C-alpha cells in the first residue's frame, strides 16, 4: 500500500472507527481497489473506497497525465440497515459497484467531482431501485486529507443513490435542483428502500 493510501485509511479509521469488513477488486489495467465497511451508530453502515486517491484524476483532454497534480478523492456511501429492507448481506453487493466507480478515473479518464452523476447500468444491490448515484459535496463526516505539495488534498465524496427517473430529472434540471427537491420532501437518502421523490412540478 502506498504512503497516500496508508494516510487515507488512517483518516477513515479516525473518522469512522475500525472497519469490520473489506473487499479488494482489481480490474484489468487498473490498480487494486478496496472497499471498507464500517458499522456506525445504531443501524447505519458506511462503505468507503480505498485506492482511488492513489493517483490524481486527470482531465481526459489533457495531453499528458501529471503523476502528482490533480484532484484526488475517495467515495463514501451511507445506508441504514434497520427496519424493513435488505439485510447487510444484500447491501454488501454494493462493494463491487463502488469499486467500479472508484476505478472509473483510470478506466474511463473521468474526473469525479461534486454534482456529477455516475451511472452503473444495474441496481446497486439486488432489488434496489437505484442504478446511479449523485456525487455530493463533502459533508464533514470525513475531513479532507492534506498531502505534501504539489499534491492536492484527498476529498471524501458522499454518494447519494438515485432512481432512473431522478437521474433523468437531474440531467435536465441540475444537481442542486434535485437536492432541493429531496430536502423539501424530507427524503431519507440513507433509506435503502425509499420511494422516488415526486418529480412533477
Amino acid at each position: 500500500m502506498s504512503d497516500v493510501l496508508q494516510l487515507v485509511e488512517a483518516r477513515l479509521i479516525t473518522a469512522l472507527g475500525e472497519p469490520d469488513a473489506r473487499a479488494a477488486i482489481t480490474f484489468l489495467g487498473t490498480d487494486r481497489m478496496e472497499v471498507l465497511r464500517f458499522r456506525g451508530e445504531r443501524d447505519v453502515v458506511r462503505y468507503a473506497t480505498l485506492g482511488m486517491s492513489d493517483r490524481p484524476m486527470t482531465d481526459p483532454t489533457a495531453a499528458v497525465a501529471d503523476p502528482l497534480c490533480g484532484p484526488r478523492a475517495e467515495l463514501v456511501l451511507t445506508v441504514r440497515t434497520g427496519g424493513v429492507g435488505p439485510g447487510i448481506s444484500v447491501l454488501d453487493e454494493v462493494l463491487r459497484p463502488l469499486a467500479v466507480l472508484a476505478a472509473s478515473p483510470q478506466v474511463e479518464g473521468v474526473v469525479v467531482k461534486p454534482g456529477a452523476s455516475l451511472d452503473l447500468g444495474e441496481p446497486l444491490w439486488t432489488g434496489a431501485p437505484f442504478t446511479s448515484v449523485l456525487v455530493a459535496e463533502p459533508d464533514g463526516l470525513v475531513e479532507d486529507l492534506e498531502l505534501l505539495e504539489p499534491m492536492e488534498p484527498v476529498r471524501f465524496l458522499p454518494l447519494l443513490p438515485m432512481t432512473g427517473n431522478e437521474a433523468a430529472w437531474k440531467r435536465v434540471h441540475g444537481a442542486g435542483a434535485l437536492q432541493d427537491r429531496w430536502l423539501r420532501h424530507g427524503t431519507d437518502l440513507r433509506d435503502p428502500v425509499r420511494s422516488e421523490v415526486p418529480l412533477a412540478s
Side-chain angles (χ1 to χ4, degrees):
M1 184 182 295
S2 72
D3 292 344
V4 168
L5 294 185
Q6 289 182 40
L7 293 171
V8 168
E9 182 169 3
R11 177 56 55 89
L12 287 169
I13 291 172
T14 297
L16 306 177
E18 289 286 342
D20 72 334
R22 63 199 303 156
I25 300 176
T26 302
F27 302 102
L28 184 64
T30 70
D31 298 331
R32 169 190 171 106
M33 296 294 165
E34 289 192 73
V35 180
L36 282 55
R37 188 182 74 191
F38 300 87
R39 300 296 289 269
E41 70 280 0
R42 297 181 185 177
D43 60 351
V44 171
V45 60
R46 293 186 172 93
Y47 299 93
T49 63
L50 180 64
M52 182 177 170
S53 61
D54 200 29
R55 300 187 192 184
M57 293 179 279
T58 304
D59 188 320
T61 63
V64 179
D66 191 311
L68 291 178
C69 297
R72 296 174 188 255
E74 297 290 354
L75 309 175
V76 181
L77 175 69
T78 302
V79 187
R80 283 197 297 106
T81 59
V84 178
I88 190 69
S89 61
V90 175
L91 291 175
D92 281 349
E93 293 177 7
V94 80
L95 296 170
R96 182 176 178 82
L98 285 180
V100 169
L101 296 180
S104 61
Q106 290 186 38
V107 175
E108 302 174 23
V110 299
V111 176
V112 178
K113 57 186 178 181
S117 300
L118 302 176
D119 185 30
L120 289 158
E122 61 184 22
L124 285 173
W125 54 81
T126 300
F130 317 111
T131 56
S132 60
V133 294
L134 174 65
V135 183
E137 292 284 351
D139 55 9
L141 178 67
V142 185
E143 293 184 3
D144 291 354
L145 174 65
E146 298 289 339
L147 301 175
L148 294 176
E149 294 185 355
M151 293 187 288
E152 294 187 24
V154 177
R155 306 180 78 197
F156 298 87
L157 303 176
L159 299 180
L160 309 177
M162 296 188 292
T163 67
N165 287 335
E166 288 172 339
W169 195 89
K170 179 261 177 186
R171 284 194 292 272
V172 175
H173 300 280
L178 178 59
Q179 289 177 291
D180 286 344
R181 189 164 287 260
W182 280 333
L183 184 61
R184 279 193 286 116
H185 288 273
T187 305
D188 182 359
L189 296 172
R190 302 184 301 177
D191 183 351
V193 294
R194 71 170 176 85
S195 299
E196 184 175 271
V197 72
L199 297 171
S201 301

